[in-house]
Amino acid sequence: MNFVGSHILSVDQFVRADIERVFTVADMMRPYALRQKVTRVLEGAILGNMFFEPSTRTRVSFGCAWNLLGGEVRETTGIKASALAKGESFYDTARVLSGYSDLIVMRHEKSGSVAEFAAASRVPVINGGDGANEHPSQALLDLYTISRELADHGKTVDGMTIALVGDLRYGRAVHSLCKLLAAYQGIHFSLISPEALKLPDAYVELLRNHGHQVFESDALPTGIQQADIVYVTRTQEERFDTLEEAQRYKGIFRLNQAIYTEFCEPNTVIMHPLPRDSRADANELDNDLNDNPNLAIFRQTDNGVLIRMALFALILEVSDQVEASSRAVNWYTAKRF
Ligand code: NCD
């Protein structure tokens, strides 16, 4: 694909070579994310960071990624704080805000809303999550993490076994990840969810049509056996008609150290898009895994900065200028990775 000036709305836009291109640029961004070097390639540029649904890491890491490239961030959080609450259309909001920004990241609860917004925007728009539909930058950072973690154990994405656990119906991170993984070869998918929260048929068919093996079950212990990656998700309570309905599925699957020790391989990598729901009635990923070296959840969040820097650099055509304009940092830098 041609990244320059493009919207990033769906992972459907990427072929495997595009994914690898993002990963190569992400690797190059590591010294900047680690505060070993500074670059100002986006000096003077403004990011419109518009989050109409709750967010911590996606919003802040997009903002940090832009800042680390030298740009400024303008943020809108929550519908109530924007003129959308006064009945303004996506069209008008997009026309207005694209006059103030060089690139916009948007998250909204409605599937397709970011594409509708992008159609009226005069600058590139990245989908930061549109309802239960897609979350492309999350899928890229997840796949980047998977490939790096597997490489540490001499394995590849091609041929791996991945267990996806939890709310596979409404989880947009899982939806985008499945589409990205479809481009790889010979993957064994173990889909573990309650019947009512199964991965929608379209995704299962997509994976099977690409030659992957898909097993569906509602049992965690058997489902996670032999997995190279266990990717746990939160019940997306905000997408259910009622909280009572969501409540039925919370806490059904709980991964903790005892279950990990009994059923996982010694080096099974544990992932989660986060936030993990740590309330007692849910607790899908227990805190007793925090010291497990195979818990990759905070490597995922760190990698999110690299991936988002890479997307910005590719879309705004500065990836070749980053090195040339770099210098060493002159403040104390803590070790992060
Ligand atoms: C995910 C999301 O918002 O889709 N969070 C994230 O962006 N890391 C997953 C979730 O909220 O459960």
Side-chain angles (χ1 to χ4, degrees), residues 54 57-58 107 135 138 172-173 234 236 238 272-275:
R57 71 223 83 238
T58 306
R107 167 175 287 190
H135 195 347
Q138 179 71 43
R172 58 191 171 199
R234 176 182 69 88
Q236 308 281 292
E238 64 276 37
H272 191 304
L274 301 183

Side-chain angles (χ1 to χ4, degrees), residues 100-332:
Y100 303 158
S101 319
D102 293 278
L103 188 149
I104 291 173
V105 177
M106 180 174 161
R107 167 175 287 190
H108 192 279
E109 65 178 6
K110 192 173 145 221
S111 291
S113 54
V114 183
E116 188 185 337
F117 183 94
S121 171
R122 294 174 279 168
V123 299
V125 175
I126 299 180
N127 182 358
D130 63 323
N133 185 34
E134 279 226 35
H135 195 347
S137 65
Q138 179 71 43
L140 286 165
L141 78 88
D142 287 339
L143 180 52
Y144 180 80
T145 306
I146 290 169
S147 74
R148 274 31 179 187
E149 297 283 325
L150 290 181
D152 287 346
H153 303 302
K155 295 178 183 167
T156 60
V157 177
D158 294 315
M160 72 165 173
T161 298
I162 183 168
L164 300 169
V165 184
D167 183 353
L168 309 184
R169 177 177 179 190
Y170 294 119
R172 58 191 171 199
V174 162
H175 297 166
S176 289
L177 182 59
C178 284
K179 284 190 186 179
L180 267 194
L181 288 175
Y184 287 73
Q185 283 175 359
I187 300 176
H188 300 249
F189 287 86
S190 171
L191 307 179
I192 307 164
S193 68
E195 177 69 24
L197 301 184
K198 278 170 62 175
L199 187 68
D201 290 345
Y203 296 101
V204 176
E205 275 162 33
L206 177 85
L207 295 174
R208 291 206 167 114
N209 290 342
H210 279 78
H212 302 294
Q213 290 186 41
V214 182
F215 303 96
E216 297 181 274
S217 81
D218 58 5
L220 184 73
T222 46
I224 60 178
Q225 278 172 32
Q226 284 153 20
D228 298 303
I229 306 283
V230 175
Y231 188 100
V232 181
T233 64
R234 176 182 69 88
T235 304
Q236 308 281 292
E237 59 185 19
E238 64 276 37
R239 315 246 176 265
F240 288 76
D241 290 336
T242 63
L243 272 182
E244 290 71 41
E245 196 191 341
Q247 203 60 35
R248 271 187 241 153
Y249 305 108
K250 281 193 181 188
I252 288 186
F253 305 121
R254 295 168 186 255
L255 185 60
N256 57 30
Q257 186 59 50
I259 294 184
Y260 182 90
T261 306
E262 189 172 351
F263 297 103
C264 290
E265 298 293 313
N267 281 323
T268 297
V269 178
I270 308 161
M271 296 178 61
H272 191 304
L274 301 183
R276 54 177 156 170
D277 187 340
S278 295
R279 290 170 289 195
D281 60 352
N283 202 27
E284 67 261 4
L285 196 57
D286 201 285
N287 281 324
D288 72 358
L289 288 159
N290 286 357
D291 293 328
N292 184 322
N294 293 305
L295 183 75
I297 56 177
F298 302 116
R299 294 193 283 278
Q300 278 174 274
T301 55
D302 284 348
N303 288 338
V305 175
L306 307 180
I307 291 294
R308 290 170 174 132
M309 288 177 82
L311 289 175
F312 289 148
L314 287 164
I315 295 168
L316 298 178
E317 211 178 5
V318 293
S319 57
D320 293 342
Q321 300 168 43
V322 171
E323 290 286 352
S325 73
S326 77
R327 63 169 173 79
V329 300
N330 50 14
W331 64 84
Y332 163 77

